[in-house]
Amino acid sequence: MVHHKYLLLSFVISLAAIQGIHSVDYVVTNTASNTTGGSRFNKEIGSKYSKQTLTNATNFTWKIFQQKTTADRKKVAKVSLFIEDIDGVAYAANNEIYITGVLFHEMTHIWQWNGNGQSPPGGLIEGIADFVRLKSGYVPSHWVQPGKGDRWDQGYDVTAWFLDYLNGLRNGFVADLNKKLRTGYSANYFVELLGKTVDQLWSDYKAKYGN
Ligand SMILES: *[C@@H]1O[C@H](CO)[C@@H](O)[C@H](O)[C@H]1NC(C)=O
Ligand SMILES: *[C@@H]1O[C@H](CO)[C@@H](O)[C@H](O)[C@H]1NC(C)=O
Ligand SMILES: *[C@@H]1O[C@H](CO)[C@@H](O)[C@H](O)[C@H]1NC(C)=O
């Protein structure tokens, strides 16, 4: 079972996946309907929109990962989305682009491979999830600009932009890297796919943006 949480200002979204061979079933549970955050979720987003977004995000992630058959994909029968309230968090505006983007990010975690116990950097896993979000077009305004960041595996937006650069060097790079992550992890995967170490690639990337 995979379980991820994402803080959305006045409520928390988490996704859980149950393994199985059947087509994917989506269930949305709002445990916070009575609270400000929970009722906002019902009013502004709702379970129908959420389920459609999760379905779309699944399709999109399979496409980005070039997983055309069920043999290529993780075996997941059910994905549950939970909405929970968090006390004491100030009421702030969420928007559809932000929430849809978060759902794409979180769905990617459900489907991506993660090194089969060989511990890829957490920042790489988060970067891949944000790369799918980037490709979906649901990019929030608070993201850093391309070329920013201190380390290739800083995660999230920083790593997503770097992966986008790498994907430009080799079309399908992220899909190929994800395929390799099914059975393990090695920093050498970058050399195998792109002919350079990840540190060299990061230097090239930073130089391209002049920082
Ligand atoms: C919502 O509030 C009502 C009335 O106070 C209560 O009976 C119910 O259990 C609450 N539901 C949830 C999901 O907390
Ligand atoms: C899901 O994708 C379909 C087809 O691209 C689109 O028409 C629909 O608006 C999408 N739904 C959501 C909630 O994004
Ligand atoms: C998912 O993709 C398949 C194949 O590309 C397509 O037939 C189906 O309509 C898509 N579903 C959604 C919800 O976008």
Side-chain angles (χ1 to χ4, degrees):
M1 180 183 257
V2 193
H3 206 262
H4 290 278
K5 280 184 187 283
Y6 213 101
L7 178 66
L8 283 175
L9 304 170
S10 52
F11 52 88
V12 170
I13 276 185
S14 59
L15 286 184
I18 292 177
Q19 297 214 323
I21 52 168
H22 302 292
S23 66
V24 192
D25 197 16
Y26 299 91
V27 180
V28 177
T29 307
N30 188 345
T31 62
S33 295
N34 281 355
T35 67
T36 309
S39 75
R40 281 194 70 197
F41 180 87
N42 285 344
K43 262 200 271 281
E44 296 170 26
I45 304 163
S47 92
K48 186 167 169 238
Y49 178 89
S50 309
K51 276 189 210 175
Q52 236 187 59
T53 303
L54 296 177
T55 309
N56 285 3
T58 289
N59 245 18
F60 188 75
T61 305
W62 288 342
K63 198 173 95 188
I64 294 287
F65 286 165
Q66 299 176 357
Q67 296 173 330
K68 295 195 177 72
T69 68
T70 50
D72 296 332
R73 300 168 184 159
K74 258 196 202 164
K75 291 175 179 36
V76 171
K78 183 174 169 186
V79 175
S80 305
L81 170 69
F82 298 97
I83 313 303
E84 299 158 72
D85 184 60
I86 11 168
D87 269 351
V89 176
Y91 189 90
N94 292 316
N95 66 48
E96 204 173 294
I97 288 181
Y98 182 71
I99 289 165
T100 306
V102 165
L103 292 176
F104 271 72
H105 175 107
E106 291 302 304
M107 265 326 292
T108 307
H109 283 319
I110 301 284
W111 296 115
Q112 74 184 152
W113 300 111
N114 66 1
N116 192 29
Q118 292 177 23
S119 303
L124 175 60
I125 295 302
E126 295 300 342
I128 290 173
D130 264 357
F131 172 79
V132 174
R133 181 182 187 174
L134 169 64
K135 290 299 166 187
S136 78
Y138 295 106
V139 176
S141 54
H142 64 75
W143 269 29
V144 298
Q145 293 298 305
K148 296 291 179 203
D150 303 320
R151 298 191 334 269
W152 77 268
D153 61 348
Q154 206 169 321
Y156 301 100
D157 46 355
V158 167
T159 302
W161 286 122
F162 178 53
L163 292 170
D164 192 42
Y165 163 79
L166 300 181
N167 213 60
L169 298 179
R170 177 190 169 108
N171 189 21
F173 168 76
V174 173
D176 293 340
L177 182 63
N178 182 62
K179 281 173 203 159
K180 286 177 167 289
L181 285 166
R182 185 170 190 166
T183 51
Y185 174 71
S186 160
N188 206 48
Y189 289 171
F190 290 86
V191 180
E192 290 166 21
L193 293 171
L194 290 166
K196 290 183 181 180
T197 65
V198 69
D199 292 332
Q200 183 61 52
L201 290 160
W202 177 253
S203 299
D204 294 352
Y205 171 68
K206 294 297 279 184
K208 180 184 172 197
Y209 284 96
N211 58 31

